[in-house]
Amino acid sequence: MTLVKDRPRAARNRSLTGQVIALLVFVGASWLILLAAMPSPSGDPVLRTTSPGSTELVKSPDHVLLTFDRPVPAGLATVRILDPDGSQVVFERPVHPDGRADTISVPMPKERHEGTYAVAWTLPSDRLEPLGGSFTFDVFSTIEPLGVPQIETTHDLTVTIVYTTARVAAIVAMLLLAGAVVFARVIARSESSAVRRLIKYAWWVLFAGTGLALLSFGPYAAWSPLSGAFDPRLLSGAVESEGGGVLLARLYVLAPCTLGLAQLMSMPPAETAAERWVRGGTVLGCVAALFATWTDLPVHVVLLTAGACALAAVFFGFFSLGRKLRAVKAAGMSVLAALIAAGGVLLVTVQSGQTTTPAAIRDQVAPTRLAFDTGSVDLVLIPAAEGQALHLDADVSMLGTNGAARDDVAVTAVLTREGRSVPMPLSHEGTGYLAGSATVPEHGTWELALTLRAGDGGTQTLTQPIDVR
């Protein structure tokens, strides 16, 4: 008799062990894919050099190049150029020349006029606010331009509604999906066709909402109409960007989560506490990986996961009270649906209200070009952060006579004012690219002196006044 009793128990133990191994694989895969696919926060890009250079006199360039201090999504950038007559000559989106992720390029028109060309550019910041600037260059001679290019920075109403609705639908579906799975395979002791349908519909809404948000992200981030959703350059820019990369990562993470979900739903309802713990841990592990694509703050991930558990408890109340309380269940479901709908409408309304006025562009000063005997320097002075008014950051780009980056010149930098000097150490950040910072003791006009030492021993010093306020 003892052997007969032990056989079912041993079989259950073997089954539980297999479940644990299989489900842990899905959780581990979800987190590994998340860590591999999630883009790292990079901050806002800084324009460090242009070709042609700001106010530079050139013959006749074929392209206008803008190089930043980090990779930028070319497809989400906008570059406008006015010729000396005030006519716009660039209408297409930039590209990365020669695969250089930190540089964007637009072609000059085949017919070029003598005089000054005005250039304006914008990129979405990490908060999807417009970041941009402007500069001029001269072709053959200086003839003042008739204006500065204007770039539209108002979100299209249709794009805003589609993008925001897709995001709201995805997060609501994610919560419902997680709560329903926890209820169906951790709490409930019997099958429910209604819960199975809810899981199925929530998964499709989550998948479709994330996909639609990714498609509409490009037009939203680049202040374009919805018709650009299938523009290859906009779509490529969306994938390159941090915000679009997060949406793509969610789709990647959804794959192992879906396989784990299918595995769970193929199992009968849990009978033992051990099975409930294993299944609950699996669901929460996969769900937390999905929620991590919404926020990089652990406390927010915990709160969202706790919200999914709370929904599971709500489902338990709805589906477990019996026939006598059907009216209560219907009323409770109606209230829940109304709250979800109200939240979605509120978010769409708030986002839609932002389309009535253009967003202010956060201007960046164009790099200052300083010429020397065998090349030039593009100098960028980065405004100090609030509360650090006496702190200066500088980017230095060394260029040859052909405009290409060069690494054969040693550079030192010193800030001077009224007999006092403050060294600014420069570190090598890339080919021909150096960056440094310094803190000065007082406000006023300081002079930045860049001493260049060539390989043949030749030395030259370039100076630039800096107003520290």
Side-chain angles (χ1 to χ4, degrees), residues 179-195:
V181 173
V182 170
F183 169 71
R185 283 299 173 264
V186 179
I187 299 176
R189 298 178 181 274
S190 60
E191 291 287 344
S192 171
S193 58
V195 175

Side-chain angles (χ1 to χ4, degrees), residues 134 156 219 416 438 451 465:
S134 61
D156 181 85
T416 60
T451 301

Side-chain angles (χ1 to χ4, degrees), residues 13 67 71 185 239 242 286 371-372 424 429 457:
N13 289 338
T67 301
R185 283 299 173 264
V239 172
E242 184 179 334
C286 292
F372 63 98
M424 177 182 283
E429 302 292 334

Side-chain angles (χ1 to χ4, degrees), residues 82-431:
L82 296 185
D83 67 10
D85 295 331
S87 301
Q88 185 170 303
V89 295
V90 173
F91 299 92
E92 60 186 83
R93 294 207 165 270
V95 297
H96 290 303
D98 304 321
R100 294 159 57 188
D102 62 350
T103 302
I104 60 177
S105 169
V106 291
M108 287 285 285
K110 294 181 179 179
E111 183 180 347
R112 301 161 201 166
H113 304 287
E114 179 180 2
T116 301
Y117 284 75
V119 182
W121 63 272
T122 61
L123 273 172
S125 71
D126 57 351
R127 295 178 177 271
L128 299 186
E129 299 165 343
L131 178 73
S134 61
F135 64 96
T136 62
F137 64 89
D138 304 313
V139 175
F140 293 113
S141 66
T142 300
I143 301 176
E144 289 300 320
L146 297 180
V148 177
Q150 300 296 315
I151 298 178
E152 181 64 46
T153 56
T154 303
H155 288 303
D156 181 85
L157 179 60
T158 303
V159 170
T160 303
I161 291 175
V162 170
Y163 175 68
T164 308
T165 302
R167 284 174 55 86
V168 172
I171 188 65
V172 170
M174 199 182 303
L175 284 165
L176 289 175
L177 177 64
V181 173
V182 170
F183 169 71
R185 283 299 173 264
V186 179
I187 299 176
R189 298 178 181 274
S190 60
E191 291 287 344
S192 171
S193 58
V195 175
R196 279 187 170 272
R197 286 195 299 270
L198 178 61
I199 291 173
K200 177 181 177 181
Y201 296 150
W203 185 92
W204 277 108
V205 172
L206 170 57
F207 177 78
T210 303
L212 185 58
L214 180 60
L215 279 176
S216 57
F217 180 85
Y220 183 83
W223 310 284
S224 297
L226 189 60
S227 58
F230 294 98
D231 182 336
R233 291 190 182 180
L234 267 182
L235 191 56
S236 174
V239 172
E240 290 178 28
S241 69
E242 184 179 334
V246 168
L247 294 170
L248 189 62
R250 186 181 306 154
L251 291 177
Y252 290 150
V253 175
L254 190 57
C257 289
T258 300
L259 294 175
L261 170 65
Q263 175 77 8
L264 276 173
M265 295 308 296
S266 67
M267 300 175 181
E271 296 181 358
T272 66
E275 288 178 330
R276 291 189 179 90
W277 278 106
V278 170
R279 296 181 185 187
T282 300
V283 176
L284 296 182
C286 292
V287 163
L290 282 173
F291 284 144
T293 64
W294 276 91
T295 174
D296 56 358
L297 296 177
V299 65
H300 291 172
V301 175
V302 171
L303 288 174
L304 287 170
T305 306
C309 294
L311 271 178
V314 172
F315 291 142
F316 177 76
F318 285 159
F319 291 99
S320 305
L321 293 180
R323 296 181 179 181
K324 295 182 179 180
L325 297 179
R326 282 184 179 178
V328 175
K329 288 193 293 183
M333 289 293 285
S334 299
V335 171
L336 180 63
L339 288 174
I340 293 173
V345 171
L346 177 61
L347 284 175
V348 171
T349 303
V350 170
Q351 292 283 351
S352 300
Q354 297 178 359
T355 66
T356 56
T357 56
I361 296 178
R362 286 164 41 196
D363 285 326
Q364 285 190 5
V365 178
T368 300
R369 179 150 295 187
L370 306 174
F372 63 98
D373 291 344
T374 59
S376 59
V377 174
D378 267 3
L379 174 64
V380 178
L381 298 174
I382 303 172
E386 186 178 353
Q388 297 180 339
L390 299 179
H391 185 78
L392 296 173
D393 293 320
D395 288 348
V396 179
S397 297
M398 302 298 303
L399 307 172
T401 54
N402 61 353
R406 56 184 295 183
D407 253 347
D408 59 341
V409 179
V411 186
T412 57
V414 178
L415 288 159
T416 60
R417 182 175 189 264
E418 297 177 353
R420 284 172 294 181
S421 64
V422 177
M424 177 182 283
L426 297 175
S427 60
H428 189 270
E429 302 292 334
T431 304

